[in-house]
Amino acid sequence: MAETIKELQPIETRLFINGEFRNSSNGKTFDIIYPYTKDVVAKVQEADVSDVNDAVEAAEAAFPAWRDLGVEKRGEYLRKLSDLIQEAVPVLAKLETLSTGRPISFFPDGLMAAEQFRYFADHAWTVQGTASTNTPGTFKMTVKEPFGVAGLIIPWNFPLVNFAGKSAPALAAGNTVVLKSSEKAPLTSLYIAKLIEKVGFPPGVINVLSGYGSPVGSTIAEHMKVRVISFTGSSLTGQKIHAAAAKSNLKHVHVELGGKTPAIILEDADLQSAAAQTMFGIQFNSGQVCVANSRIYVHESIKEKFTEQFKAMFASVKMGDPLDPTTQHGPQIDYLQYDRIKQYLALGEKEGKLTLGGDANDGFFVKPTVFEELAEDSRVMKEEIFGPVVAIQTFKTEEEVIKKANDTEFGLYASVFTKDLDRAIRFSKALQAGTVGVNCTAPSNTKDTAFGGYKMSGTGREGFLYSIENFLQTKTILIKSG
């Protein structure tokens, strides 16, 4: 690990405001700790309210010129940034592993981020309004315009993907950006800021802040000059952001929040495929994924066979140093997350049967864990654990399992495994989720579909064909003639 840190030096730790790197106004820093060894990787500048205000002022000042630059010129900046991100994938992978403990063996995030900037560099041409002469004497048109300053608040589990997924469409649409990274994983965001500086974006167009939800995130959410906000994170924080927006200037809000994904395995399913996919869906990133399928409902006639295959795959993943390219399963990101999961493990053992895994008693590691025979109203069944913990339950009828799957305040992702097309269609219609996978489950998704949630899993949608609309407002123009 020490050799890796040496390779990456110097690691950028300052705030990026108005085109320049600078220390925080209060001089405070916070530590980034490698979850595997508990060693301090970097001391990052901790932004405060005055830094947020400076960033917003810079973004507001930069907005008119950036808006008026036009699609072609804005796209040139985005394409250059895409190229630099693609070149920097090895560095970005190491920085994210050191921050989060996520195994470096599987890191598509860098290429995904580069692709976001490349796509939206050209996609802004599709932003179109309407026109009409239906009313005599009046020519009417609608146009799509950027809001102004966009506040972007991203999570710690996939910071690079979220940085690109939010800032690329916001910038392409003509907005300027104030982005807050998570205090748990700010290093890739700051590295992208270095690339932004290298590209030569106009000062103030993109500002990158590191710090805590309070005061940085809350100040962005309350700021009267921030006109649109996009957030990915917990449902509780999403509620606070909606409230802050309502109490301030009614800024447009888009949030992608938590989940409690059910996977339904019907008796005619391909059990090997279902077991492999659902296993990866809860094990990936040590279960620290909003769409992780943490509830699996198996028809009682195949429960024993499915569970045997699932457990064999789940138990075989290799735990270890996330910087080791053979490691598949890393630690939880920090003590708070590890301790949270341990509390759910204790609840699960009390209320059901622990049939695989549990606390590894080794740093922040939690083994791939299976609970069975839990009551449907158990907290383990109802609440988002954000760890490699799955409950496997049985059912008899379609009506019964649909009711159980939908009995949650979350609705981000759901899946069903069956070879029967009619049943697949019935379940797809009945399941209350923003995405329903048939013979596939999380994190399966496609670039040109809408991603977002029902109920407390969020508002709005993201994706290649959808994200840019989150950063545009519609204006009607009436022209009297004659």
Side-chain angles (χ1 to χ4, degrees):
M1 197 274 294
E3 187 64 29
T4 299
I5 293 178
K6 186 177 179 181
E7 291 172 5
L8 296 172
Q9 293 298 335
I11 296 175
E12 184 57 69
T13 61
R14 294 170 295 172
L15 313 178
F16 186 67
I17 299 174
N18 203 25
E20 296 180 344
F21 285 98
R22 72 184 209 191
N23 291 335
S24 58
S25 298
N26 57 22
K28 293 182 179 179
T29 63
F30 58 93
D31 293 342
I32 300 302
I33 297 173
Y34 183 38
Y36 181 65
T37 63
K38 320 299 187 301
D39 292 332
V40 175
V41 174
K43 291 183 177 292
V44 176
Q45 295 292 314
E46 180 184 332
D48 65 8
V49 173
S50 63
D51 296 313
V52 176
N53 289 335
D54 288 349
V56 173
E57 292 291 340
E60 185 185 40
F63 169 62
W66 180 254
R67 174 198 61 202
D68 296 341
L69 198 58
V71 171
E72 183 66 35
K73 293 295 184 180
R74 292 198 298 266
E76 290 177 8
Y77 287 101
L78 299 186
R79 279 188 285 272
K80 289 177 183 177
L81 182 56
S82 173
D83 291 341
L84 292 180
I85 291 173
Q86 189 158 341
E87 293 172 7
V89 166
V91 174
L92 292 165
K94 290 177 182 177
L95 286 172
E96 197 147 308
T97 296
L98 289 172
S99 297
T100 68
R102 178 178 162 192
I104 204 168
S105 59
F106 184 69
F107 186 76
D109 306 45
L111 295 178
M112 290 171 66
E115 190 174 28
Q116 290 277 353
F117 282 104
R118 187 166 57 250
Y119 174 81
F120 284 106
D122 297 316
H123 183 66
W125 285 111
T126 66
V127 174
Q128 300 287 325
T130 61
S132 168
T133 57
N134 291 335
T135 303
T138 304
F139 180 79
K140 300 169 292 183
M141 69 178 75
T142 63
V143 294
K144 300 290 186 71
E145 296 185 340
F147 284 93
V149 180
L152 312 179
I153 303 176
I154 63 175
W156 52 262
N157 56 342
F158 299 102
L160 185 56
V161 169
N162 278 277
F163 187 116
K166 295 184 187 301
S167 62
L171 294 166
N175 300 276
T176 52
V177 164
V178 175
L179 181 141
K180 177 205 170 296
S181 61
S182 168
E183 69 277 7
K184 296 184 181 185
L187 298 184
T188 50
S189 293
L190 292 173
Y191 193 89
I192 297 298
K194 289 173 63 176
L195 302 183
I196 289 165
E197 182 185 45
K198 186 174 181 180
V199 168
F201 275 80
V205 169
I206 314 176
N207 305 272
V208 181
L209 303 176
S210 307
Y212 292 87
S214 179
V216 182
S218 57
T219 302
I220 292 173
E222 297 167 357
H223 208 291
M224 293 298 292
K225 293 183 178 180
V226 173
R227 299 299 176 183
V228 58
I229 191 164
S230 182
F231 166 77
T232 295
S234 72
S235 296
L236 177 61
T237 303
Q239 288 176 305
K240 292 179 180 178
I241 287 173
H242 268 287
K247 291 178 181 177
S248 54
N249 59 353
L250 279 177
K251 57 179 64 66
H252 179 85
V253 177
H254 162 261
V255 292
E256 191 269 290
L257 309 174
K260 193 68 176 175
T261 297
I264 300 169
I265 319 298
L266 298 176
E267 62 270 31
D268 64 340
D270 180 333
L271 294 190
Q272 184 174 5
S273 176
Q277 292 191 66
T278 53
M279 183 281 294
F280 184 73
I282 186 63
Q283 182 271 322
F284 173 50
N285 199 21
S286 301
Q288 298 169 135
V289 185
C290 57
V291 292
N293 51 217
S294 53
R295 297 181 294 151
I296 300 178
Y297 293 99
V298 187
H299 191 271
E300 60 182 11
S301 66
I302 57 168
K303 195 263 186 179
E304 185 174 337
K305 187 175 181 181
F306 171 84
T307 305
E308 180 181 352
Q309 293 186 46
F310 181 93
K311 287 181 181 178
M313 296 177 188
F314 209 21
S316 69
V317 298
K318 181 184 176 182
M319 298 195 304
D321 185 349
L323 286 170
D324 182 340
T326 66
T327 295
Q328 300 167 299
H329 190 87
Q332 309 310 130
I333 189 168
D334 58 16
Y335 177 78
L336 288 175
Q337 186 60 23
Y338 167 68
D339 187 60
R340 170 185 168 84
I341 296 170
K342 284 211 308 179
Q343 293 178 42
Y344 282 106
L345 294 178
L347 279 172
E349 289 192 75
K350 181 180 179 181
E351 299 174 353
K353 289 185 178 180
L354 174 68
T355 59
L356 182 73
D359 185 4
N361 294 307
D362 179 14
F364 298 156
F365 280 95
V366 175
K367 297 177 183 178
T369 297
V370 175
F371 282 108
E372 299 178 56
E373 300 181 21
L374 285 165
E376 284 295 315
D377 61 356
S378 165
R379 286 179 58 195
V380 175
M381 293 295 295
K382 293 293 187 184
E383 299 175 10
E384 185 177 35
I385 297 174
F386 228 59
V389 181
V390 64
I392 299 180
Q393 306 281 83
T394 61
F395 69 92
K396 293 182 180 180
T397 68
E398 289 187 17
E399 293 77 16
E400 172 196 359
V401 74
I402 289 171
K403 182 178 180 181
K404 288 178 177 179
N406 288 338
D407 188 18
T408 174
E409 285 303 312
F410 296 108
L412 191 55
Y413 203 115
S415 62
V416 59
F417 289 81
T418 178
K419 297 175 184 176
D420 186 323
L421 180 59
D422 288 340
R423 298 179 87 184
I425 293 173
R426 284 200 302 274
F427 274 85
S428 297
K429 291 174 64 176
L431 290 169
Q432 298 169 358
T435 298
V436 176
V438 176
N439 295 323
C440 61
T441 189
S444 296
N445 209 339
T446 58
K447 300 168 187 175
D448 59 347
T449 50
F451 180 72
Y454 282 18
K455 299 184 278 190
M456 285 188 68
S457 287
T459 57
R461 294 295 182 269
E462 294 179 319
F464 274 6
L465 304 182
Y466 302 87
S467 291
I468 203 164
E469 291 295 329
N470 295 323
F471 300 101
L472 292 164
Q473 52 192 340
T474 301
K475 175 185 286 183
T476 295
I477 300 174
L478 305 175
I479 303 175
K480 284 287 186 181
S481 61

